[in-house]
C-alpha cells in the first residue's frame, strides 16, 4: 500500500466520543469519508444522532450512542455495541472534553473535579475498555487510540490553568499508554493531538470567558490576540484537526506511536 491508499479506512470501525458537533462530528465525517464504519457517541444523544444521519446521507455507515464518558457503565455498553452492531473496534478517538476558565485564585473545587473527570478519567476509561477489545493478545485485531489534548497542555495562558492541567495529564497518559500497550504486544498504537484555537462552541465560549474574566474587552479583541500569536493568520477549522486524526488512525501512520501532533497554526512554536 502506498500514497493516498494508505489513508483509506475501508473495513475499519472507529468510535469518536463527543461526536455531536465541533471537532468530533468533523473527525467522524473524515473517517467515514475514508471508508470507516463510525460509532458516534455523545452525552448529547440527539446531536450524535444528527451527526450520524449526516454521514449516512453522504453514503457512509454510522451508528450513534448516548454516552456519558465519565460513566464506566456507559463505556461497557458502547464498546460492546461497537462489537455487536459494527463488528469490532479498530480506532478510538477520545475527543469529548469540557473547558472551564477561571483565575487560579478563584477556582471552585467542583469545577476542578468536573474537568478532571471528563478530560482525564474518561479518556483513561476509554483506553481501558477499548484496549481490552482491540488487543491481539485478547483475540482482537490491534488498533489505534487517539487522545485529543490541547495546545493548553504546551503553553500557559491567563485563566486556563485548570483546563491546561487536565490536558497536560492526558499528554502524559498518552505516552505511558503508548509504551505499555506496545511493550505488552497488544498491537495498539496510541498518539495524541494538540489543537490550537478552533471556532467551535468551546472555542467561542473560551473567547467569551476571557471577556468575563476582564482579560479582553470583547470577543473580537480576544480572537485578535490569539490570531496575532499564531504564525499562520487564519482561524483553525475542525477539518484541520480531522485531517490529523485521519493520518494517525490510518495505516499511513503505521510506524507512529507515542507521538504528539500539534495542529495550532504555529501558536505554540512562536
Ligand atoms: N475548540 C478548540 O479550540 C479546542 C482547542 C484545543 C482542544 N480542544 C479539545 O477538542 C475536543 C473537542 O472540542 P470541541 O471544540 O469540539 O468542543 P465542543 O464543546 O464543541 O464539543 C465537545 C463535545 O463533547 C461532548 N461532551 C461533553 N461532556 C461529555 C461527556 N461527559 N460525555 C460525552 N460527551 C461529552 C459535548 O456534548 C460536545 O458535543 C475537546 O477535548 C477539547 O478540549 C478544542
Amino acid at each position: 500500500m502506498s500514497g493516498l491508499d494508505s489513508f483509506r479506512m475501508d473495513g475499519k470501525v472507529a468510535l469518536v466520543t463527543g461526536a455531536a458537533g465541533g471537532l468530533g462530528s468533523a473527525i467522524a465525517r473524515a473517517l467515514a469519508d475514508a471508508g470507516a464504519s463510525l460509532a458516534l457517541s455523545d452525552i448529547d444523544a440527539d446531536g450524535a444522532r444528527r451527526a450520524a444521519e449526516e454521514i449516512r446521507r453522504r453514503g457512509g455507515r454510522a451508528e450513534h450512542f448516548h454516552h456519558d464518558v465519565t460513566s464506566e457503565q456507559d463505556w461497557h455498553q458502547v464498546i460492546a455495541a461497537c462489537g455487536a452492531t459494527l463488528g469490532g473496534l479498530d480506532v478510538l478517538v477520545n475527543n469529548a472534553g469540557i473547558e472551564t476558565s477561571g483565575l487560579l485564585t478563584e477556582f471552585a473545587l467542583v469545577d476542578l473535579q468536573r474537568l478532571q473527570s471528563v478530560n482525564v478519567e474518561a479518556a483513561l476509561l476509554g483506553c481501558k475498555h477499548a484496549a481490552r477489545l482491540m488487543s491481539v493478545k485478547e483475540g482482537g485485531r490491534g488498533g489505534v487510540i487517539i487522545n485529543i489534548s490541547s495546545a493548553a497542555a504546551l503553553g500557559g495562558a491567563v485563566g486556563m490553568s485548570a483546563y491546561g492541567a487536565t490536558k497536560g495529564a492526558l499528554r502524559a497518559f498518552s505516552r505511558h499508554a503508548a509504551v505499555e500497550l506496545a511493550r505488552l504486544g497488544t498491537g495498539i498504537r496510541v498518539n495524541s493531538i494538540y489543537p490550537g484555537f478552533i471556532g467551535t462552541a468551546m472555542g467561542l465560549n473560551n473567547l467569551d470567558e476571557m471577556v468575563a474574566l476582564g482579560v479582553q474587552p470583547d470577543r473580537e479583541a480576544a480572537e485578535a490576540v490569539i490570531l496575532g500569536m499564531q504564525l499562520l493568520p487564519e482561524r483553525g477549522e475542525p477539518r484541520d484537526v480531522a485531517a490529523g486524526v485521519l493520518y494517525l488512525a490510518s495505516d499511513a501512520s503505521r510506524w507512529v506511536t507515542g507521538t504528539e501532533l500539534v495542529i495550532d497554526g504555529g501558536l505554540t512554536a512562536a
Side-chain angles (χ1 to χ4, degrees), residues 18 20-24 42-44 67-70 95-98 114 118 148-150 163 167 195-198 200-203:
L23 300 187
D42 204 293
I43 200 166
D44 171 7
H67 184 191
D68 178 350
V69 290
T70 66
N95 167 75
I98 57 171
R114 184 71 190 154
V118 179
I148 306 296
S149 179
S150 169
Y163 173 75
K167 292 299 188 176
F197 172 68
I198 318 276
T200 62
M202 179 186 290

Side-chain angles (χ1 to χ4, degrees), residues 135-160:
S135 173
V136 295
K137 301 202 117 182
E138 306 292 330
R141 50 195 189 224
V144 180
I145 295 171
I146 299 164
N147 294 323
I148 306 296
S149 179
S150 169
L154 308 175
V158 176
M160 300 289 282

Side-chain angles (χ1 to χ4, degrees), residues 103-114:
L103 299 180
L104 64 88
T105 49
E106 306 292 333
F107 243 102
L109 181 58
V110 65
D111 290 335
L112 295 175
Q113 289 169 334
R114 184 71 190 154

Side-chain angles (χ1 to χ4, degrees), residues 23-266:
L23 300 187
S25 60
I27 290 166
R29 272 197 307 278
L31 295 174
D33 286 352
S37 297
L38 259 294
L40 293 89
S41 84
D42 204 293
I43 200 166
D44 171 7
D46 274 348
R49 177 180 49 74
R50 284 193 296 275
E53 284 169 356
E54 168 67 15
I55 287 174
R56 289 196 291 271
R57 267 196 299 278
R58 296 157 75 100
R61 183 173 182 209
E63 303 288 338
H64 77 278
F65 301 101
H66 175 265
H67 184 191
D68 178 350
V69 290
T70 66
S71 159
E72 187 153 23
Q73 181 60 28
D74 279 12
W75 274 110
H76 272 296
Q77 289 172 355
V78 171
I79 296 277
C82 286
T85 64
L86 294 167
L89 186 65
D90 302 284
V91 177
L92 167 66
V93 184
N94 276 313
N95 167 75
I98 57 171
E99 186 272 331
T100 311
S101 297
L103 299 180
L104 64 88
T105 49
E106 306 292 333
F107 243 102
L109 181 58
V110 65
D111 290 335
L112 295 175
Q113 289 169 334
R114 184 71 190 154
L115 281 167
Q116 170 76 8
S117 174
V118 179
N119 293 355
V120 185
E121 292 168 10
L124 271 64
L125 287 176
C127 287
K128 169 184 171 182
H129 291 282
R132 285 178 173 179
L133 183 63
M134 290 172 172
S135 173
V136 295
K137 301 202 117 182
E138 306 292 330
R141 50 195 189 224
V144 180
I145 295 171
I146 299 164
N147 294 323
I148 306 296
S149 179
S150 169
L154 308 175
V158 176
M160 300 289 282
S161 59
Y163 173 75
T166 63
K167 292 299 188 176
L170 187 56
R171 179 189 189 194
F173 170 72
S174 300
R175 288 257 177 155
H176 284 280
V179 170
E180 182 172 315
L181 292 174
R183 295 273 189 243
L184 295 184
T186 64
I188 301 169
R189 298 188 288 115
V190 183
N191 293 293
S192 51
I193 294 187
Y194 300 78
F197 172 68
I198 318 276
T200 62
M202 179 186 290
L204 297 176
N205 182 59
N206 181 241
L207 298 179
D208 293 337
E209 288 178 323
M210 291 304 115
V211 178
L213 285 175
V215 179
Q216 295 296 335
D218 53 46
R219 186 189 266 199
E220 291 68 33
E223 179 164 7
V225 167
I226 296 172
L227 297 185
M229 289 161 61
Q230 295 176 186
L231 300 181
L232 302 176
E234 313 86 21
R235 180 198 275 188
E237 301 288 341
R239 65 188 161 97
D240 296 315
V241 177
V245 171
L246 176 57
Y247 166 65
L248 291 174
S250 66
D251 284 346
S253 63
R254 64 180 192 90
W255 201 49
V256 176
T257 194
T259 203
E260 301 172 349
L261 179 56
V262 180
I263 303 176
D264 69 349

